[in-house]
Amino acid sequence: MAVITYREALNQALVEEMERDPDVFLMGEEVALYNGAYKVSKGLLDRFGEKRVVDTPITELGFAGVGIGAAMVGLRPVIEFMTFNFSILALDQVFNSAAKVHYMSGGQFKCPIVFRGPSGAALQLSAQHSQALESTYAHFPGLKLCTPATPADAKGLLKSAIRDDDPVVVMEGELLYALKGEVPDAEDHLVPLGVAEVKQEGRDISIITHGKMVHVALQAAARLEKDGIQAEVLDLRSLRPLDMDAVLGSVRKTNRAVYVEEGWPFVGIGAQIVGLIQEEAFDELDAPVLRVTQADVPMPYSKGLEKLAKPSIERVVAACNRALYRD
């Protein structure tokens, strides 16, 4: 398998799907001449031309709506938000049009569109540019949502998203673009939506997570292993549809769980996961399910405060020890 970066994996997915299907096109701010703010679309303008790689003004509501209209008449647009923080400006189109058009038209219109771009905190981008908005997007029926953590998943999930007949949101980790990893050489490498993956086997406790936090969880699991604790790390990969069978399978194996997410705790993804676990597997738990989240504050600009606000390896280790009654 080739070792490539997360950004190269996304680029490969776009190239392969645009070559496979002439109805696929990319649109967003700086995706063409500038090759994308994070260079995910590098070389696409030269390869596919300006009709399929389209620069837009700074008008998220406008170009999201144009993309939805194109999807309704049979094209397969990929809309890049320079950051999902800016996607807030387009929420009416995403939530009230893309998510609902198939249902409200009685099935007459499909909406095969992908909304993708960086999500979550980077480094000192402050409150308006450091938001993990997964729970907001996951709230609306009609949308699918995935959060790739590795280059292999980034490529496979994006390709699956482009081929899906429903609107799919692909939230990429803002700090993951330079991450390297093995990606299968097969051109048709697809990762199905709605299928979680055990990134590390374990028997003592389940660390359930998604997106960028997968790497925090894996490092926490490595520290716990030094104390003789085998933590299982389950990467959800998709939040809608949600692979609850995988969550329950892991919990029934270890009988303890900690959920880790980059977003805020109040009505976050973890709250949903904990609720479903207690509904389906309460009698098999040996301890309450705990959550590690971002602090319930707007992200601070101060480097020190920002570090304290984010979920950390230390906080995940501490939560696991508490769930194991070792603290």
Side-chain angles (χ1 to χ4, degrees):
M1 287 192 285
V3 176
I4 60 175
T5 64
Y6 188 94
R7 103 168 21 91
E8 290 168 335
L10 292 165
N11 180 272
Q12 281 189 5
L14 289 167
V15 169
E16 290 175 10
E17 292 307 299
M18 291 176 77
E19 286 184 338
R20 185 188 63 82
D21 185 348
D23 288 335
V24 178
F25 71 97
L26 177 67
M27 185 163 57
E29 295 157 2
E30 299 184 348
V31 299
L33 290 172
Y34 192 65
N35 290 314
Y38 292 87
K39 305 307 176 192
V40 170
S41 55
K42 185 177 181 181
L44 296 187
L45 176 62
D46 293 338
R47 195 161 185 159
F48 297 103
E50 60 185 14
K51 288 187 176 179
R52 297 185 67 194
V53 185
V54 184
D55 272 333
T56 69
I58 305 174
T59 53
E60 280 76 8
L61 184 70
F63 64 76
V66 169
I68 292 164
M72 290 174 66
V73 295
L75 299 180
R76 290 186 173 272
V78 178
I79 301 298
E80 177 175 309
F81 292 123
M82 190 180 289
T83 156
F84 266 93
N85 296 286
F86 298 165
S87 77
I88 294 169
L89 295 162
L91 289 187
D92 181 61
Q93 286 292 352
V94 177
F95 293 165
N96 275 330
S97 295
K100 299 182 175 76
V101 67
H102 184 71
Y103 175 80
M104 293 182 69
S105 69
Q108 296 180 81
F109 289 100
K110 295 177 180 177
C111 192
I113 187 170
V114 173
F115 302 102
R116 53 152 295 268
S119 173
L123 296 172
Q124 289 189 278
L125 295 183
S126 194
Q128 294 174 325
H129 294 75
S130 303
Q131 301 172 102
L133 299 170
E134 292 96 319
S135 63
T136 304
Y137 280 89
H139 185 63
F140 283 80
L143 292 177
K144 295 178 179 176
L145 169 60
C146 59
T147 57
T150 66
D153 288 347
K155 180 175 179 179
L157 285 168
L158 180 55
K159 285 169 68 72
S160 294
I162 292 171
R163 297 186 189 191
D164 202 283
D165 282 341
D166 293 318
V168 183
V169 177
V170 181
M171 289 188 163
E172 302 154 6
E174 184 148 348
L175 288 176
L176 296 181
Y177 288 114
L179 176 75
K180 290 185 176 180
E182 290 185 338
V183 176
D185 295 322
E187 186 172 299
D188 229 21
H189 166 62
L190 297 170
V191 175
L193 303 174
V195 179
E197 182 181 56
V198 174
K199 289 288 199 272
Q200 178 174 305
E201 295 276 356
R203 67 185 180 197
D204 297 321
I205 189 166
S206 301
I207 305 176
I208 304 162
T209 187
H210 67 269
K212 196 191 307 176
M213 291 299 106
V214 169
H215 303 283
V216 173
L218 288 170
Q219 292 176 73
R223 288 199 191 176
L224 290 165
E225 192 171 6
K226 293 177 181 176
D227 293 329
I229 299 167
Q230 293 186 10
E232 179 153 294
V233 177
L234 179 67
D235 176 8
L236 293 178
R237 301 200 292 195
S238 293
L239 302 177
R240 265 211 187 216
L242 179 64
D243 189 354
M244 204 57 205
D245 288 343
V247 173
L248 295 173
S250 183
V251 170
R252 286 173 175 142
K253 175 182 174 183
T254 65
N255 308 112
R256 301 170 194 270
V258 168
Y259 194 81
V260 184
E261 66 180 310
E262 194 179 2
W264 293 297
F266 193 77
V267 297
I269 296 293
Q272 178 71 16
I273 297 292
V274 172
L276 291 171
I277 291 174
Q278 75 87 20
E279 285 178 18
E280 301 291 334
F282 180 80
D283 290 337
E284 295 166 82
L285 290 172
D286 288 339
V289 182
L290 301 181
R291 291 186 288 157
V292 178
T293 69
Q294 183 193 148
D296 198 18
V297 297
M299 184 64 76
Y301 174 76
S302 158
K303 190 174 183 179
L305 292 176
E306 181 189 57
K307 185 177 179 181
L308 288 173
K310 292 178 179 178
S312 65
I313 299 166
E314 292 77 16
R315 287 174 58 199
V316 177
V317 169
C320 289
N321 279 323
R322 187 177 159 205
L324 288 158
Y325 298 126
R326 291 166 54 95
D327 186 4

